[in-house]
Amino acid sequence: DTMDLAFDRQHIWHPYTSTLTPLTCYPVTNADGVYLELEGGKRIIDGMSSWWSTIHGYNHPTLNDAAHSQIDKMSHVMFGGITHQPAIDLCKKLLSLAPDNLEHVFLADSGSVAVEVAMKMALQYQHAIAKKSGSTLSKTKLLTVKNGYHGDTFAAMSVCDPVTGMHQIFEQVLMQHYFAPAPQCKFGESWQAEDVNELTALFELHHQEIAAFIIEPIVQGTGGMRFYHPEYLKACRALCDQYNVLLIVDEIATGFGRTGKLFACEWADISPDIMCLGKTLTGGYITLAATLCSEHIATTISDGDAGCFMHGPTFMGNALACAVANASIDLLFENNWQQQVTAIEKTLTRLLLPLTNHARVKDARVLGTIGAVECNQAVNVAQIQKRFVELGVWIRPFGQLIYIIPPLITRPEELEILVNAIAQVLNEDNCFNG
Ligand code: PMP
């Protein structure tokens, strides 16, 4: 039996898809280790970790066991008025690994929801603070940087880059926030303090309105795989402290080792007030995210008007997802994630950085398990994707960016196949527009 791809094309939305001119979707029947198996049996090496999430590879026996044994007990039970061991174990682990001042965990069902929850926490916190001081005005704005990405739901979208985040379409309904220029000083370069001048000016000018500052630590992912200087993040922490603004770090893409630190904010040695986790949390098995906050935020919210934090999704604390997340985090340490990441970083640095010399390449860069090739032209997604599959790899570029973020178990010879495929398509004119 072959899959009904005509039905798929005619009736199923895929991410960012036109129903009139949908791009080809490749039918996958199985996945194992770093391989995706296409209908018909062709196996291709996954360079994307299913959008950053599959850190240990597919069909992992340990994660499978965790899922099986949990599903035989219970897959899900409501989290209102009920608790369970997988959630308790997971939250203990998260608090022991996260920066010290984070003391409370809200389990959300996707990255975007974790960001919604973070923003709502910040706003409810500021509301409670204002009420307490007898003020009728509370801080209701967010401040962020351009080129950011935090998810596709409305609150998250309102802090995504105003241009690439499609603000024009939703302008009339989107909350309006403040945007500083994107960090310019790159990771590994010498620090230029003027990089935070405009950000500082925005804090000075608007701090009385600003509830929280939100940023992806060290790596702006969807905004172009931009690796910025840790001093920038340090300055953000200092400005938030100076102006009484909460700091939200969105570690959804960077968390759990991807940048070479367990959490990217460790590069700057800072603790946020609120931190979002997702993607890799369950090793890429099932959707689950978490929003962590400080004792002070939790207490202030709980002391306020509502007397509680006003959020509670149906699938909050899903037991199956928590059980797999526990197994995935344990596996990170059993596998010595730091060694895995360093090995991938070394190989990618050796293989991918030389592509900088290619005429079509503007910049090639590597950080942790992230390898990015920024081209001078936008890619032709349909053609480049087809060629990648022919070359035995799964890489999905966007805009001018070809990037890979392979599972931590990827071996040097597999990385070589991934990078060789990139080098090959760079020579093919029809893989690019214009
Ligand atoms: N924040 C960041 C930094 C992300 O990269 C993403 C996902 N690409 C999200 C939030 C949203 O997560 P989700 O897609 O699970 O809603």
Side-chain angles (χ1 to χ4, degrees):
D1 261 23
T2 57
M3 286 186 221
D4 189 347
L5 297 180
F7 176 86
D8 185 282
R9 216 167 24 248
Q10 281 158 23
H11 298 287
I12 307 182
W13 291 107
H14 284 266
Y16 312 103
T17 298
S18 159
T19 60
L20 299 175
T21 54
L23 294 174
T24 302
C25 276
Y26 295 83
V28 169
T29 53
N30 308 69
D32 194 73
V34 300
Y35 289 91
L36 304 177
E37 188 172 323
L38 299 175
E39 193 170 67
K42 185 179 170 82
R43 279 155 53 89
I44 56 179
I45 298 172
D46 179 22
M48 304 306 295
S49 297
S50 282
W51 275 338
W52 307 61
S53 67
T54 320
I55 24 176
H56 304 299
Y58 299 92
N59 202 14
H60 195 290
T62 309
L63 301 189
N64 288 5
D65 283 349
H68 288 143
S69 73
Q70 183 58 42
I71 212 165
D72 286 340
K73 293 183 197 136
M74 64 184 176
S75 180
H76 181 70
V77 61
M78 68 187 276
F79 213 49
I82 291 175
T83 195
H84 49 73
Q85 201 61 47
I88 293 171
D89 290 344
L90 177 59
C91 295
K92 274 189 185 168
K93 280 191 224 293
L94 294 179
L95 293 181
S96 76
L97 298 173
D100 275 350
N101 66 314
L102 300 173
E103 296 283 354
H104 295 266
V105 185
F106 188 101
L107 295 169
D109 24 19
S110 73
S112 298
V113 173
V115 170
E116 297 278 325
V117 164
M119 290 172 70
K120 202 165 170 182
M121 270 180 189
L123 294 173
Q124 209 186 320
Y125 165 88
Q126 298 292 3
H127 180 79
I129 292 274
K131 265 286 167 73
K132 214 171 179 174
S133 69
S135 164
T136 49
L137 277 177
S138 82
K139 297 175 154 201
T140 56
K141 295 284 187 193
L142 273 282
L143 172 63
T144 186
V145 290
K146 290 182 182 167
N147 273 85
Y149 178 81
H150 298 284
D152 289 347
T153 53
F154 272 86
M157 195 164 51
S158 73
V159 287
C160 288
D161 184 83
V163 178
T164 58
M166 294 294 135
H167 283 211
Q168 319 85 287
I169 304 173
F170 301 107
E171 204 173 2
Q172 307 198 322
V173 285
L174 222 48
M175 289 174 280
Q176 302 294 311
H177 297 304
Y178 292 113
F179 289 86
Q184 297 303 317
C185 195
K186 293 177 184 160
F187 191 97
E189 288 185 348
S190 66
W191 170 239
Q192 310 290 327
E194 35 317 345
D195 208 13
V196 290
N197 283 358
E198 289 189 55
L199 178 69
T200 306
L202 284 167
F203 267 98
E204 276 170 10
L205 205 57
H206 301 295
H207 65 93
Q208 279 162 333
E209 295 169 73
I210 298 172
F213 174 74
I214 182 168
I215 192 164
E216 294 158 273
I218 306 301
V219 178
Q220 292 192 292
T222 307
M225 296 308 147
R226 303 174 80 251
F227 310 152
Y228 65 84
H229 204 291
E231 286 295 329
Y232 190 97
L233 192 56
K234 258 194 188 139
C236 296
R237 176 70 275 179
L239 287 163
C240 285
D241 287 340
Q242 185 181 345
Y243 290 106
N244 241 324
V245 167
L246 297 177
L247 174 61
I248 304 172
V249 297
D250 178 349
E251 291 259 11
I252 288 165
T254 50
F256 300 105
R258 280 300 190 187
T259 68
K261 300 281 186 190
L262 194 61
F263 301 111
C265 58
E266 292 170 19
W267 283 111
D269 206 15
I270 56 131
S271 291
D273 301 297
I274 300 176
M275 180 161 109
C276 301
L277 298 172
K279 285 193 186 281
T280 49
L281 187 54
T282 64
Y285 264 51
I286 321 173
T287 180
L288 182 70
T291 307
L292 281 59
C293 76
S294 68
E295 184 68 47
H296 177 58
I297 293 176
T299 306
T300 306
I301 288 173
S302 307
D303 245 358
D305 276 1
C308 59
F309 180 55
M310 296 303 281
H311 213 95
T314 306
F315 287 101
M316 187 168 178
N318 178 264
L320 184 57
C322 290
V324 179
N326 282 319
S328 175
I329 293 171
D330 290 347
L331 201 53
L332 264 182
F333 289 91
E334 276 162 38
N335 285 351
N336 197 343
W337 64 268
Q338 193 124 39
Q339 220 169 303
Q340 291 179 309
V341 172
T342 307
I344 291 177
E345 184 173 48
K346 235 173 106 186
T347 306
L348 285 184
T349 301
R350 176 169 58 83
L351 298 173
L352 194 123
L353 289 194
L355 296 181
T356 316
N357 301 322
H358 195 285
R360 213 184 299 268
V361 174
K362 191 147 93 188
D363 185 43
R365 48 189 180 267
V366 172
L367 180 67
T369 64
I370 313 164
V373 177
E374 196 178 329
C375 304
N376 295 317
Q377 293 157 293
V379 300
N380 173 339
V381 180
Q383 177 62 19
I384 209 168
Q385 191 98 81
K386 176 168 160 276
R387 288 293 293 134
F388 277 137
V389 170
E390 285 167 4
L391 293 164
V393 299
W394 182 249
I395 300 174
R396 190 167 177 83
F398 64 93
Q400 296 177 208
L401 201 79
I402 305 174
Y403 77 100
I404 53 176
I405 173 126
L408 303 192
I409 56 162
T410 313
R411 294 173 302 173
E413 53 272 34
E414 292 153 346
L415 293 172
E416 198 163 341
I417 294 171
L418 287 165
V419 177
N420 285 346
I422 297 175
Q424 175 59 40
V425 298
L426 284 174
N427 293 326
E428 299 183 11
D429 289 344
N430 62 351
C431 287
F432 295 84
N433 294 327

